[in-house]
Amino acid sequence: MSYHFNEIEAKWQKYWADNQTFKAENNSHKPKYYVLDMFPYPSGAGLHVGHPLGYIASDIYARYKRHKGFNVLHPQGYDSFGLPAEQYAIQTGQHPAITTETNIKTYRRQLDQIGFSFDWSREVRTSNPDYYKWTQWIFIQLFESYYCNDANEARPISELTSVFEIEGNSSINAACDDDVVLFSSEDWKDFSTEEQQDILLKYRLTYLAETEVNWCPALGTVLANDEIVNGVSERGGHPVVRKKMTQWSMRISAYAERLLQGLDTIDWTDSLKESQRNWIGKSVGAAVTFNINDHDEVIEVFTTRPDTIFGVSFMTLAPEHELVTKITTEAQRGTVQAYVEATAKRSERDRMADVKTISGAFTGAYAEHPFTKEPIPIWIGDYVLAGYGTGAVMSVPCGDQRDYDFAKHFKIPIPNIFDGVDISEEAFADKDKTVIANSDFLTGMNYKKATKRVIYELERLGQGKGKTNYRLRDAVFSRQRYWGEPFPVYYVNSKPQMIDQQHLPIVLPEVEKYLPTEEGEPPLGRADVWAWCTESNSVVSNDKINHTTVFPLELNTMPGWAGSSWYFFRYMEEAAHRDDAFATEDALKYWENVDLYIGGSEHATGHLLYARFWVKFLKDRGFVGVDEPFKKLINQGMILGTSAFGYFVFYSIIDRATKNVILNKKPLFISKEDYNQTLTGNEELIIDVVKSYIDKNLLSKIEKEELHLMTPMSSTYIPVEYVNASDELDIEAFKNWRPEFKDAEFILEDGVYKVGREVEKMSKSKYNVVNPDAICDQYGADSLRLYEMFLGPLEQAKPWNTAGITGVHGFLKKLWKLYVDDNGIRVNDAEASKDNLKTLHKTIKKVEEDIENFSFNTSVSTFMIAVNELTQQKCTSTSILEPLLILISPYAPHIAEELWSCLGNNESISTASFPIFEAKHLVESSKNYPISFNGKMRFTLELPLDMSKDDIEKTVMAHEKTIAQLEGRTPKKIIVVPGKIVNIVG
């Protein structure tokens, strides 16, 4: 019987699907365990071998937990809304739903081919209306809620209106917009309905506001900060500018402190927690109000160093600050406007990262110092961000390096308020060593005393107070694109109204094109049927809008993180019970939250933060019972590609006499070694290499000046599929792929051209992507699974090398032969030897420890050792080989299922209990002593460990090999170290 892995894997994948082997049950008598992978987006390219790494790890753990007696939920689905499908639709005119469905089919086929134990009965797709119906419902709940600071939780907005009617808002302590004004109950009753709606919108957890956003004209949409790299869109590399737009936002800032505190309750890596702490950015300090000379407006600033207030020599506003246009003098207006426009082209991330460029503009206006009443010039500078704090800073150049550099650059005074400190070269920022000087009533105080005193004096003046601030900003929740969740919102007199739950979902309309309209509206502005009729409670044609019963619907769609912020709850509910709730109370109570979450670290401050926010909100409102979505989180590392490179130069040959071109722009590929020489500037070497090639192959001696290098030495990516394991290039395949190289020549070494190699990120653009389909066809899915785990620790990046997979494939063949020979199954009821039991139980112990510690790479090594030992021991015992299969099955499930079945088992191996480790089999009862003569070992002798020293000596001396070695001589000395050695001297 041979190991036909393709047949075996197809057989068991069909068996698992037909029998729903991995279907989880709600309310099982078993303890529950929920294993989840981060939500994949189904791209058109399908999977490459780097993608399954985390899935394989989670699958091993899910299978292990089933063996340990748990009811395991291990679901899968698709984050199927998104920009890539929409961009493809714009280019081709094909509906994104068609593209998405095609991509999902490819993903599903590939995932099944690798043998994952997913419960596909619970599949989720964010682009399905039956799913996003509940995303819309959650949005409505957020709209109908506010954050009560006293209760430290979200509450129904109806509570606010009740209080407003009785006593106004003077007693309300809630998260709200900064411009909320006090009003009485009488005022509230006198407000019009529309005025009341405006006020409530300032308290709601999702609200409309004019916000500075990252606008990408080419993509026609707003981008989140993490969708921008080096000032351009991550998708497509298009320019991004800052722009004010009316957007839906989520008041995540209300949860800042709870998001910080919650990190202490979950098992995440320290680095990931630190990323979130930095993003949330808690700061303790003071809010200070500066009056503006000749204006009614004031500048609000937040500072962590109120003790340095007497060192303020200028104010700096963000270029986008709303006061800039109001306070800029006519003399400065042109300069300021030009600077604002230039700054709009830079992303916030770029501005934060760029500490070298110093730029700004003077507004011509002055503020008044709260204590000295001296005028303070007001500047704008792009190192201040509109979205952080108040968008304004009191600039203290002696105590802040960016203020210091700004002041030096623009020749602004730098007063020194630190006792005994030299600030001639740089600012002084060590608050613990601070002694305040030249600061009126603060002089002589340290940081802590000065801070308390200045806050007291500011409060007494009515120009400040102590405050805790957070860097975390409210999240923009609108996208100007088509392929996303529609908002369940229509507008009456420009005021947002929610559509009742019973009429959800509001389904995406058809549009002729997926681009913004000519008027700049989002793509939904192209829909002919996109208005809401309050009489029929349905979507109707736009031409029926009359503002009495038919109203315009929201044209924006929700961002990608909407559906991915709660999908893990949807998996908890069986498909048959999803119509009436996003998940039933029983399902939510049983599964609670995710026990193990595996995914990439790139989601640290995006998806993971938003999901935690939504879960805390849903808990506040009583919709779920947990405060955190993911108990334990592991970031898998990246599998890197091994790119292939060719190195070439274009050359021409010119006739010396006529100056005519004999050979024009011929590309010649040379070796990596010669290419590396050019990196040192040695062009003469390349000329000699090319001349040598021409002399040898064209049989025409030429002079140096007749050879012209038309281009510098260059390198080009070569698709890895055109290169074999020995780095040899299939030249014809390469030429056919790249027409510009169809006439290329190659300097060969032993008849072949060898490419250069470099390890880097696996990417289509680098032509180093390895398709798992090819690996599964050639080596099998079990080989792929084992190899990806064998590459190294789960959390680390590691390079892929297809040649390396032959090792684990060879192991699987050896495993097969341990159970099967030419005559069939060789396993029988033979009694297990001590060595058999020792090998099995040390393997059980090590594998269980490895899986619990997510050290999957060392488990693979352990399996190899075990199979080698049992093969040497000629083990055929069912009592040994059957539990060994269970140990291996989470890693290589197909071969394990086949051999398990061959051993006469009728149920899937996944139902078998994990073997129990028995320490007694690892306790040594004997020692294999090395018997040495004059320090040289001649043979070994196994003796009981509890044998006395005298008995050891007698036994050794009576042994026939000892007698033969001594040849009748009497030894001078016999050294016995019990448990170690015996050495006979003389």
Side-chain angles (χ1 to χ4, degrees):
M1 291 175 62
S2 299
Y3 174 42
H4 299 296
F5 52 86
N6 295 123
E7 295 174 13
I8 290 169
E9 291 175 358
K11 168 186 173 181
W12 288 104
Q13 287 161 16
K14 184 177 186 302
Y15 175 91
W16 296 330
D18 291 346
N19 293 276
Q20 295 191 333
T21 304
F22 308 114
K23 184 177 181 180
E25 300 295 331
N26 286 7
N27 302 311
S28 167
H29 66 279
K30 298 178 181 179
K32 72 95 180 180
Y33 200 87
Y34 185 177
V35 181
L36 185 62
D37 304 294
M38 283 192 185
F39 222 7
Y41 173 79
S43 72
L47 298 172
H48 62 61
V49 293
H51 291 131
L53 178 68
Y55 300 162
I56 295 169
S58 66
D59 195 57
I60 290 170
Y61 205 81
R63 288 174 178 273
Y64 164 73
K65 281 295 188 180
R66 290 191 191 95
H67 288 310
K68 296 292 282 186
F70 285 81
N71 178 33
V72 175
L73 175 57
H74 187 209
Q76 188 58 280
Y78 307 99
D79 192 9
S80 49
F81 273 132
L83 206 50
E86 180 154 333
Q87 287 301 110
Y88 187 75
I90 290 169
Q91 295 164 12
T92 64
Q94 187 176 63
H95 197 288
I98 297 172
T99 308
T100 301
E101 180 63 31
T102 301
N103 295 347
I104 284 175
K105 286 180 180 177
T106 300
Y107 259 58
R108 175 63 188 270
R109 177 187 60 76
Q110 290 184 303
L111 291 171
D112 285 344
Q113 183 178 243
I114 301 172
F116 295 118
S117 62
F118 292 134
D119 179 357
W120 284 110
S121 71
R122 302 186 187 227
E123 180 191 300
V124 160
R125 300 183 186 185
T126 56
S127 58
N128 279 3
D130 62 354
Y131 179 83
Y132 67 69
K133 164 185 178 178
W134 296 104
T135 309
Q136 293 172 344
W137 177 83
I138 293 172
F139 176 85
I140 293 170
Q141 307 314 307
L142 284 154
F143 184 81
E144 297 295 348
S145 303
Y146 80 103
Y147 197 86
C148 176
N149 289 329
D150 291 331
N152 203 24
E153 66 178 14
R155 306 292 292 269
I157 201 80
S158 57
E159 289 185 4
L160 275 186
T161 56
S162 297
V163 174
F164 291 167
E165 289 173 356
I166 297 171
E167 56 184 65
N169 70 342
S170 59
S171 65
I172 297 295
N173 180 18
C176 59
D177 293 356
D178 293 333
D179 60 351
V180 169
V181 297
L182 291 177
F183 55 83
S184 65
S185 60
E186 289 75 18
D187 294 332
W188 176 256
K189 293 170 185 175
D190 289 339
F191 291 146
S192 67
T193 301
E194 291 180 1
E195 288 173 325
Q196 290 180 348
Q197 288 182 44
D198 284 339
I199 291 170
L200 288 173
L201 203 58
K202 296 178 184 294
Y203 288 91
R204 296 183 188 276
L205 280 178
T206 186
Y207 60 95
L208 279 172
E210 192 176 62
T211 313
E212 280 282 336
V213 296
N214 302 311
W215 173 250
C216 181
L219 297 177
T221 190
V222 170
L223 299 177
N225 284 332
D226 55 7
E227 295 174 308
I228 303 167
V229 177
N230 299 324
V232 298
S233 64
E234 183 178 37
R235 178 70 58 180
H238 303 294
V240 177
V241 298
R242 299 290 292 170
K243 180 180 179 180
K244 282 192 175 181
M245 296 180 68
T246 299
Q247 301 281 299
W248 282 101
S249 290
M250 291 280 174
R251 211 179 295 277
I252 188 175
S253 58
Y255 283 83
E257 186 62 29
R258 282 174 61 186
L259 288 167
L260 272 178
Q261 298 301 323
L263 292 171
D264 295 332
T265 69
I266 50 182
D267 184 7
W268 292 14
T269 63
D270 290 340
S271 61
L272 199 150
K273 288 183 179 183
E274 196 59 26
S275 293
Q276 292 212 348
R277 289 190 183 104
N278 291 338
W279 194 261
I280 295 166
K282 182 177 181 179
S283 303
V284 178
V288 186
T289 301
F290 287 81
N291 296 320
I292 304 175
N293 292 343
D294 304 320
H295 289 273
D296 294 331
E297 286 84 359
V298 296
I299 297 176
E300 300 283 352
V301 303
F302 171 80
T303 176
T304 59
R305 295 295 305 272
D307 59 311
T308 65
I309 196 166
F310 284 95
V312 175
S313 61
F314 62 103
M315 307 287 292
T316 313
L317 304 181
E320 309 88 354
H321 197 290
E322 61 182 8
L323 288 178
V324 172
T325 56
K326 297 178 181 179
I327 66 173
T328 298
T329 62
E330 287 304 316
Q332 292 297 114
R333 192 165 301 281
T335 301
V336 167
Q337 184 61 37
Y339 183 73
V340 169
E341 290 174 1
T343 304
K345 297 175 183 177
R346 303 185 71 202
S347 71
E348 286 193 0
R349 183 169 291 179
D350 288 343
R351 287 161 57 182
M352 290 170 68
D354 185 3
V355 296
K356 295 181 179 178
T357 304
I358 300 171
S359 64
F362 178 44
T363 65
Y366 291 83
E368 180 187 81
H369 195 285
F371 297 115
T372 68
K373 307 305 179 185
E374 292 291 322
I376 306 170
I378 304 172
W379 288 70
I380 60 172
D382 68 357
Y383 74 102
V384 181
L385 304 177
Y388 178 52
T390 64
V393 299
M394 60 175 220
S395 300
V396 182
C398 68
D400 180 273
Q401 193 60 43
R402 288 199 116 175
D403 292 344
Y404 185 93
D405 295 339
F406 193 93
K408 280 275 191 182
H409 185 80
F410 290 107
K411 298 180 173 54
I412 301 171
I414 305 177
N416 190 356
I417 58 162
F418 300 119
D419 188 27
V421 173
D422 179 12
I423 61 165
S424 61
E425 298 295 330
E426 62 182 0
F428 177 74
D430 189 345
K431 63 185 180 184
D432 293 328
K433 295 181 179 178
T434 292
V435 177
I436 300 295
N438 307 317
S439 298
D440 198 358
F441 55 85
L442 299 180
T443 298
M445 294 184 181
N446 62 23
Y447 159 74
K448 289 184 178 179
K449 286 184 178 180
T451 296
K452 289 180 181 178
R453 176 66 186 276
V454 75
I455 290 174
Y456 167 78
E457 295 294 344
L458 285 168
E459 289 177 347
R460 193 169 64 83
L461 285 175
Q463 285 192 252
K465 61 181 179 180
K467 185 180 181 182
T468 298
N469 198 42
Y470 300 89
R471 182 182 293 117
L472 182 66
R473 291 166 289 171
D474 288 346
V476 175
F477 198 68
S478 296
R479 295 292 185 269
Q480 292 66 45
R481 64 189 189 209
Y482 173 78
W483 192 233
E485 296 92 337
F487 283 91
V489 176
Y490 64 97
Y491 290 89
V492 177
N493 295 328
S494 301
K495 307 301 177 189
Q497 313 296 319
M498 297 297 114
I499 293 170
D500 193 85
Q501 174 186 340
Q502 62 183 316
H503 306 305
L504 301 180
I506 304 303
V507 180
L508 276 174
E510 294 294 325
V511 295
E512 57 170 341
K513 287 194 292 188
Y514 306 101
L515 289 166
T517 68
E518 286 68 24
E519 294 76 28
E521 291 180 331
L524 291 185
R526 295 182 178 276
D528 294 327
V529 179
W530 196 239
W532 184 252
C533 177
T534 54
E535 280 187 332
S536 63
N537 287 311
S538 62
V539 178
V540 298
S541 175
N542 293 347
D543 59 17
K544 293 183 179 179
I545 292 176
N546 55 31
H547 299 291
T548 55
T549 59
V550 179
F551 304 93
L553 282 159
E554 172 66 67
L555 298 181
N556 289 315
T557 53
M558 298 186 197
W561 60 269
S564 64
S565 290
W566 72 278
Y567 75 104
F568 36 87
F569 289 130
R570 189 64 163 176
Y571 285 138
M572 295 179 183
E573 189 52 74
E574 295 167 320
H577 303 116
R578 288 177 171 177
D579 289 343
D580 298 326
F582 66 89
T584 61
E585 185 177 346
D586 287 345
L588 292 167
K589 186 176 180 180
Y590 178 71
W591 292 109
E592 293 182 324
N593 50 12
V594 176
D595 295 285
L596 173 65
Y597 199 32
I598 296 182
S601 59
E602 67 272 15
H603 298 292
T605 54
H607 157 63
L608 292 175
L609 201 61
Y610 297 140
R612 295 182 63 221
F613 159 46
W614 273 35
V615 170
K616 290 181 187 301
F617 163 73
L618 292 170
K619 170 71 160 52
D620 289 350
R621 292 301 313 276
F623 301 125
V624 301
V626 295
D627 200 44
E628 289 286 346
F630 316 117
K631 289 181 182 177
K632 182 175 182 65
L633 189 147
I634 295 177
N635 293 136
Q636 85 270 14
M638 185 181 294
I639 287 186
L640 303 172
T642 305
S643 300
F645 291 89
Y647 311 95
F648 67 94
V649 63
F650 279 94
Y651 71 90
S652 64
I653 302 174
I654 300 174
D655 186 285
R656 282 181 66 191
T658 65
K659 304 301 183 185
N660 292 331
V661 175
I662 300 172
L663 186 63
N664 188 36
K665 291 202 74 174
K666 192 80 169 180
L668 176 66
F669 279 77
I670 69 172
S671 70
K672 182 179 181 180
E673 291 72 21
D674 287 339
Y675 171 74
N676 286 339
Q677 290 289 328
T678 69
L679 301 181
T680 64
N682 192 351
E683 186 176 289
E684 292 294 321
L685 172 80
I686 298 305
I687 291 175
D688 289 341
V689 168
V690 176
K691 282 182 62 179
S692 174
Y693 171 79
I694 295 171
D695 289 346
K696 183 177 179 182
N697 292 275
L698 299 185
L699 303 177
S700 59
K701 187 73 177 173
I702 63 170
E703 298 298 329
K704 175 179 174 182
E705 60 266 25
E706 293 176 314
L707 173 67
H708 289 255
L709 300 184
M710 305 296 292
T711 61
M713 194 69 217
S714 302
S715 64
T716 183
Y717 282 106
I718 293 176
V720 292
E721 57 265 33
Y722 299 155
V723 182
N724 67 17
S726 300
D727 296 336
E728 297 168 357
L729 174 64
D730 182 336
I731 293 174
E732 289 307 311
F734 174 68
K735 286 183 175 182
N736 291 333
W737 173 69
R738 287 287 293 273
E740 64 268 41
F741 291 129
K742 63 181 172 57
D743 296 323
E745 297 170 337
F746 292 79
I747 297 179
L748 305 180
E749 179 183 339
D750 297 326
V752 297
Y753 180 79
K754 289 199 171 186
V755 302
R757 290 288 197 175
E758 188 173 325
V759 174
E760 52 188 350
K761 182 179 179 181
M762 195 171 282
S763 166
K764 286 190 299 180
S765 65
K766 301 178 188 299
Y767 302 102
N768 63 359
V769 169
V770 178
N771 190 322
D773 295 359
I775 300 298
C776 289
D777 287 344
Q778 188 173 356
Y779 300 101
D782 285 340
S783 293
L784 174 68
R785 293 169 64 106
L786 282 170
Y787 184 56
E788 295 220 2
M789 293 299 98
F790 191 53
L791 282 173
L794 178 61
E795 298 91 343
Q796 292 182 9
K798 45 257 177 186
W800 175 273
N801 181 359
T802 300
I805 202 169
T806 56
V808 293
H809 187 61
F811 158 72
L812 289 174
K813 289 180 179 178
K814 196 166 189 176
L815 174 68
W816 181 264
K817 289 179 181 177
L818 184 62
Y819 291 79
V820 179
D821 59 23
D822 294 339
N823 298 316
I825 295 297
R826 60 185 294 276
V827 183
N828 53 44
D829 293 331
E831 183 178 353
S833 69
K834 287 195 304 181
D835 286 343
N836 294 163
L837 289 166
K838 179 180 177 183
T839 294
L840 174 65
H841 284 274
K842 73 178 181 180
T843 304
I844 294 171
K845 182 175 187 293
K846 184 69 167 66
V847 170
E848 186 162 8
E849 289 173 352
D850 285 345
I851 294 179
E852 291 289 358
N853 293 319
F854 303 94
S855 301
F856 304 118
N857 57 314
T858 51
S859 280
V860 180
S861 301
T862 300
F863 295 142
M864 292 177 174
I865 293 168
V867 169
N868 282 338
E869 289 182 359
L870 292 171
T871 299
Q872 291 169 4
Q873 295 162 15
K874 295 182 170 53
C875 176
T876 61
S877 173
T878 302
S879 63
I880 300 296
L881 297 181
E882 199 167 68
L884 179 66
L885 282 180
I886 300 171
L887 296 178
I888 291 175
S889 67
Y891 293 78
H894 304 90
I895 192 173
E897 286 277 23
E898 180 68 13
L899 292 173
W900 183 256
S901 175
C902 290
L903 294 182
N905 296 290
N906 296 320
E907 291 190 354
S908 166
I909 195 172
S910 64
T911 63
S913 296
F914 199 81
I916 297 173
F917 167 65
E918 296 180 28
K920 65 182 181 182
H921 295 298
L922 301 190
V923 176
E924 300 286 353
S925 60
S926 63
K927 164 69 179 177
N928 199 29
Y929 282 89
I931 311 302
S932 299
F933 293 82
N934 296 320
K936 294 183 179 180
M937 193 194 80
R938 298 301 181 184
F939 65 93
T940 61
L941 186 61
E942 188 168 356
L943 300 172
L945 273 174
D946 58 357
M947 181 178 278
S948 68
K949 186 174 181 179
D950 290 341
D951 287 342
I952 292 172
E953 183 177 325
K954 289 177 184 177
T955 303
V956 170
M957 293 304 295
H959 197 278
E960 59 184 10
K961 290 186 177 180
T962 303
I963 295 170
Q965 190 71 35
L966 288 174
E967 296 179 337
R969 299 189 306 275
T970 301
K972 296 177 182 177
K973 190 177 183 181
I974 300 173
I975 302 169
V976 177
V977 181
K980 292 188 177 180
I981 61 165
V982 176
N983 186 26
I984 300 169
V985 181

